[in-house]
Amino acid sequence: MITIESLKNAIRTVPDFPQPGIQFKDLTTMLKQPDLLKYVVSTTARYYQQKGITKIVGIESRGFIIGGALAAELEAGFVPVRKPNRLPAEVYRKSYALEYGENTIEIHRDALNPDDVVLLHDDLLATGGTALAAIDLIRQFHVREIHINFIVELDWLKGRDKLTPSYDIYTLVHF
Ligand code: AMP
């Protein structure tokens, strides 16, 4: 039987990647196992089944993997949030501070509309800076609701505190 513990055990921790001091959670060791991949997608989709999600917004690039599968499973559309200068048409852009330096993300200006119920998805919540910037982008469309989902959350970084109490956040695996 697959449990949250089996997912946790299948995720590889790589020390000092991509820089010293970071304990990188590598989900590829979980995603390559068909039964675990199916469990992640179906368990997450079940949680959102009755919520009327119309669009999954996935964050480049690891948010595209499960994000796309969730969109198909929930019969919703998929919208990419991408790194700068990758989207070909007109975009909204948001820059945000990282521990060192700055990052920028973009979304197409015609990606969402006010009728949408959005599920923002990324593979992992660390400090919450990326998700918060993506929410800022989504809010420009005045959508009906925003839900938030991660596969993994690093609880000790308290990224959730940046996003709550305004949003319902669902995470499968907590470290
Ligand atoms: P943050 O903005 O700090 O919440 O960082 C979230 C983004 O960075 C996600 O897109 C993750 O894929 C990536 N990330 C940050 N920290 C880690 C980590 N320790 N292991 C794996 N991915 C990480």
Side-chain angles (χ1 to χ4, degrees):
M1 197 187 72
I2 297 166
T3 61
I4 298 298
E5 208 53 33
S6 16
L7 298 183
K8 213 168 175 170
N9 292 334
I11 294 169
R12 168 165 60 194
T13 302
V14 183
D16 300 320
F17 181 87
Q19 57 190 57
I22 304 288
Q23 297 283 318
F24 191 86
K25 297 297 179 195
D26 175 16
L27 273 61
T28 63
T29 41
M30 178 186 77
L31 296 172
K32 71 177 180 180
Q33 302 185 49
D35 53 344
L36 299 188
L37 175 61
K38 186 172 180 190
Y39 180 89
V40 168
V41 175
S42 59
T43 307
T44 306
R46 203 175 312 124
Y47 181 83
Y48 291 104
Q49 204 80 60
Q50 305 303 323
K51 299 192 191 286
I53 305 294
T54 59
K55 299 263 173 62
I56 311 289
V57 173
I59 301 177
E60 184 170 3
S61 57
R62 290 183 290 268
F64 291 175
I65 302 165
I66 299 296
L70 281 177
E73 193 80 10
L74 291 170
E75 297 181 44
F78 181 82
V79 169
V81 161
R82 299 209 61 181
K83 293 166 185 160
N85 307 314
R86 304 243 171 115
L87 291 169
E90 287 219 39
V91 295
Y92 293 119
R93 174 172 303 159
K94 175 80 187 174
S95 294
Y96 58 101
L98 292 176
E99 212 172 341
Y100 301 100
E102 199 186 67
N103 219 359
T104 300
I105 52 174
E106 297 180 344
I107 191 170
H108 270 146
R109 285 190 181 220
D110 60 0
L112 301 169
N113 63 63
D115 288 335
D116 277 320
V117 177
V118 170
L119 175 56
L120 173 64
H121 168 84
D122 201 0
D123 68 329
L124 183 140
L125 175 66
T127 66
T130 308
L132 195 62
I135 289 167
D136 273 357
L137 287 178
I138 295 166
R139 282 168 57 89
Q140 304 206 49
F141 297 90
H142 305 287
V143 300
R144 275 170 52 203
E145 288 171 28
I146 303 174
H147 301 258
I148 309 177
N149 165 248
F150 305 97
I151 304 168
V152 174
E153 187 169 336
L154 306 182
D155 292 345
W156 72 90
L157 291 174
K158 301 195 189 316
R160 181 176 278 264
D161 295 351
K162 277 207 182 104
L163 313 175
T164 45
S166 328
Y167 302 101
D168 170 40
I169 306 169
Y170 176 69
T171 304
L172 274 180
V173 183
H174 292 263
F175 284 97

